[in-house]
Amino acid sequence: MSIKTAIVAGVGPLNGLGAVLSRRAAGEGLHVFVAGRTREKLEAVADAIRDGGGQATPVVCDVTQEIDVVALFRQAEETGPVDLAIYNAGNNMIGKISGMEADYFERCWRVCLFGAFLFAREAADHMSPRGQGTLLFTGASASMRGREGFAAFTAAKGGLRNFAQSAAKELGPQGIHVGHVVVDGGIDGEKLHNLVPQYAAQRAQEGRLIDLEGIADAYIYLHGQKPAAWSFEIDLRTHAEPW
């Protein structure tokens, strides 16, 4: 019998959410297809998983390109049925409305929302004939509320949340568990510490950076829920985060 597989889209550095989600999925006995844009980073994550006794395959994939997403799911299915699919793509994109280039707004939408549609469609098409599977999306503070200077990101993430809710209602009766994880605050990972080290250090001192393993716990919890007691959404923040 073939091993079940997982796909994690939006994988970056080793000390990042995509990498931690990939490692935790492998810990559940799944062969993980680690997908993202940078081969070097993907191979590092896959190597780390294999060094820990898990199974992983790195796949370079642009989630905004239909041909890439279709090929990603086909490759995973050749190894085994996709049991878990996580859409973690989409970085925080800052910018004021006045003077914003149209291409900037569209790029944010394409990564956060259009790519999510392509990913969800392929997950549904592969999971629904078997009547089981878990499809999870990474949300953000912007999923719930708008802020000055974050219009493009808020529009995309708010749209993603509504899309995920529609998908949950449509696909749930087909046996597919759709969930949305709101990460309400900065993540204590490599990306934030490298991009804005002073900000990250201050937030860490205040106890306002969210633990990577704690976030991953929520995804694994959702994946393990019984069909008679499914959650659609979990929101995560530190004890010190004002909300």
Side-chain angles (χ1 to χ4, degrees), residues 138-160:
T138 298
S141 305
S143 305
M144 312 297 290
R145 55 189 178 272
R147 282 181 56 196
E148 176 189 358
F150 292 85
F153 188 62
T154 300
K157 281 295 188 181
L160 174 63

Side-chain angles (χ1 to χ4, degrees), residues 191-203:
K191 188 175 296 182
L192 190 66
H193 283 280
N194 284 346
L195 289 176
V196 283
Q198 291 183 332
Y199 171 86
Q202 179 183 347
R203 285 293 186 266

Side-chain angles (χ1 to χ4, degrees), residues 127-230:
M127 292 176 177
S128 57
R130 294 189 291 268
Q132 64 179 37
T134 305
L135 171 60
L136 303 176
F137 299 93
T138 298
S141 305
S143 305
M144 312 297 290
R145 55 189 178 272
R147 282 181 56 196
E148 176 189 358
F150 292 85
F153 188 62
T154 300
K157 281 295 188 181
L160 174 63
R161 181 174 185 254
N162 285 330
F163 172 78
Q165 193 172 85
S166 292
K169 295 176 179 180
E170 178 179 329
L171 301 177
Q174 300 176 36
I176 302 172
H177 182 192
V178 179
H180 181 252
V181 180
V182 179
V183 184
D184 188 14
I187 296 175
D188 193 10
E190 182 178 329
K191 188 175 296 182
L192 190 66
H193 283 280
N194 284 346
L195 289 176
V196 283
Q198 291 183 332
Y199 171 86
Q202 179 183 347
R203 285 293 186 266
Q205 188 175 16
E206 295 169 350
R208 291 177 59 186
L209 290 185
I210 307 175
D211 178 66
L212 281 166
E213 295 291 345
I215 298 173
D217 286 342
Y219 286 79
I220 298 303
Y221 168 71
L222 286 170
H223 179 52
Q225 284 185 320
K226 297 179 179 179
W230 275 350

Side-chain angles (χ1 to χ4, degrees), residues 66-141:
E66 184 174 18
I67 190 171
D68 282 11
V69 179
V70 171
L72 172 63
F73 274 85
R74 284 180 178 170
Q75 184 176 351
E77 284 281 337
E78 288 174 358
T79 296
V82 177
D83 191 53
L84 172 62
I86 299 175
Y87 192 81
N88 183 58
N91 294 326
N92 193 347
M93 295 178 68
I94 302 171
K96 295 184 179 298
I97 297 170
S98 178
M100 181 182 292
E101 296 288 341
D103 179 66
Y104 184 85
F105 187 94
E106 183 178 4
R107 185 157 27 98
C108 186
W109 169 80
R110 288 185 68 85
V111 174
C112 293
L113 186 50
F114 178 66
F117 153 69
L118 296 175
F119 191 84
R121 185 194 67 190
E122 293 305 304
D125 287 350
H126 287 283
M127 292 176 177
S128 57
R130 294 189 291 268
Q132 64 179 37
T134 305
L135 171 60
L136 303 176
F137 299 93
T138 298
S141 305

